[in-house]
Amino acid sequence: EAQVTQNPRYLITVTGKKLTVTCSQNMNHEYMSWYRQDPGLGLRQIYYSMNVEVTDKGDVPEGYKVSRKEKRNFPLILESPSPNQTSLYFCASSFLAGGPAPDTQYFGPGTRLTVL
Amino acid sequence: AQKITQTQPGMFVQEKEAVTLDCTYDTSDPSYGLFWYKQPSSGEMIFLIYQGSYDQQNATEGRYSLNFQKARKSANLVISASQLGDSAMYFCAMSYNQGGKLIFGQGTELSVKP
């Protein structure tokens, strides 16, 4: 089944304790991205990657790191989480061109993070 | 700067009736894509429909159609024959920068009444 998976789905942690949220896709997509969703603000892009070893900042990158060592994986790293990073996080992936709906992004199930 | 605006925070529709969710956008990029996503209460983001900026015809997918008016920079979603399962949050989104960037509107919460 074609899908984007994220782990963990739920996480409660404390300020300053490094954490990683994993994201994996099995559709051979070049493009992957991370978003956070907060009430009243919609979804905002954190980082994205157009291909292996190519990453770029989105609109709200502060406090986050990413890496793209393999095409299928795009982990999100919070080196020193703070309470303002409490949010719902989505990973997404897409092809960059071609097909009837190019660059349509398919989303993972979401990770609900609480930082105390 | 690129921007997506959804002006309806919440809407109600009677079951089996049609409903239009509004979306306007702003971009100087000549090549862009417009999307609608559905987010039910369970939280996942479900892709509904896509419209490319160079597409001549409005996109349709089953009961969903996208009313694309390029000159007015609007991309409204029309849901025909609403069902109870259509109750959800709906997000309009736009891709630009050759697909590298995707921005979202703030969403419209649709409630379908029996």
Side-chain angles (χ1 to χ4, degrees):
Chain A
E1 181 190 353
Q3 59 183 352
V4 180
T5 56
Q6 294 179 229
N7 282 293
R9 295 288 311 279
Y10 302 90
L11 179 60
I12 301 174
T13 189
V14 295
T15 299
K17 186 176 181 181
K18 181 179 178 180
L19 66 92
T20 299
V21 184
T22 64
C23 173
S24 183
Q25 51 92 7
N26 62 1
M27 295 171 278
N28 202 32
H29 286 164
E30 300 95 359
Y31 179 95
M32 297 186 75
S33 182
W34 277 101
Y35 300 87
R36 61 177 289 174
Q37 183 180 16
D38 302 290
L41 296 177
L43 281 84
R44 294 177 293 168
Q45 192 173 41
I46 303 171
Y47 269 95
Y48 64 96
S49 170
M50 308 274 273
N51 215 324
V52 175
E53 301 291 2
V54 180
T55 63
D56 208 346
K57 295 178 180 179
D59 297 315
V60 288
E62 292 76 22
Y64 304 95
K65 284 176 58 177
V66 293
S67 67
R68 187 93 181 271
K69 292 183 168 50
E70 304 166 282
K71 196 172 187 179
R72 63 183 293 127
N73 297 323
F74 191 45
L76 179 70
I77 303 157
L78 285 72
E79 295 267 3
S80 183
S82 62
N84 65 13
Q85 293 179 297
T86 293
S87 188
L88 177 60
Y89 290 87
F90 287 100
C91 180
S93 71
S94 74
F95 291 115
L96 279 175
D103 63 73
T104 299
Q105 294 192 20
Y106 295 93
F107 284 75
T111 295
R112 191 166 291 281
L113 172 65
T114 301
V115 183
L116 302 174
Chain B
Q2 284 77 5
K3 190 176 180 182
I4 288 274
T5 303
Q6 293 179 254
T7 57
Q8 306 153 313
M11 290 189 70
F12 289 93
V13 65
Q14 204 69 35
E15 192 179 9
K16 299 181 185 176
E17 291 185 350
V19 62
T20 298
L21 306 183
D22 294 341
C23 173
T24 57
Y25 63 93
D26 193 13
T27 180
S28 55
D29 196 330
S31 178
Y32 52 90
L34 295 159
F35 306 82
W36 278 91
Y37 287 86
K38 173 184 178 181
Q39 187 177 41
S41 58
S42 52
E44 69 267 32
M45 294 289 289
I46 302 168
F47 165 69
L48 295 178
I49 196 166
Y50 165 87
Q51 180 86 40
S53 58
Y54 295 118
D55 294 343
Q56 297 294 315
Q57 293 191 324
N58 287 343
T60 60
E61 286 287 348
R63 293 186 299 113
Y64 304 108
S65 60
L66 199 152
N67 185 1
F68 181 44
Q69 297 189 37
K70 196 169 183 177
R72 296 181 61 186
K73 295 189 174 179
S74 74
N76 299 339
L77 177 70
V78 180
I79 306 175
S80 63
S82 297
Q83 301 172 356
L84 296 178
D86 293 335
S87 293
M89 184 72 83
Y90 289 81
F91 289 98
C92 180
M94 177 175 68
S95 67
Y96 60 98
N97 192 27
Q98 298 178 333
K101 301 281 286 182
L102 186 69
I103 59 170
F104 286 80
Q106 293 186 334
T108 295
E109 185 165 10
L110 178 67
S111 298
V112 180
K113 294 179 167 182

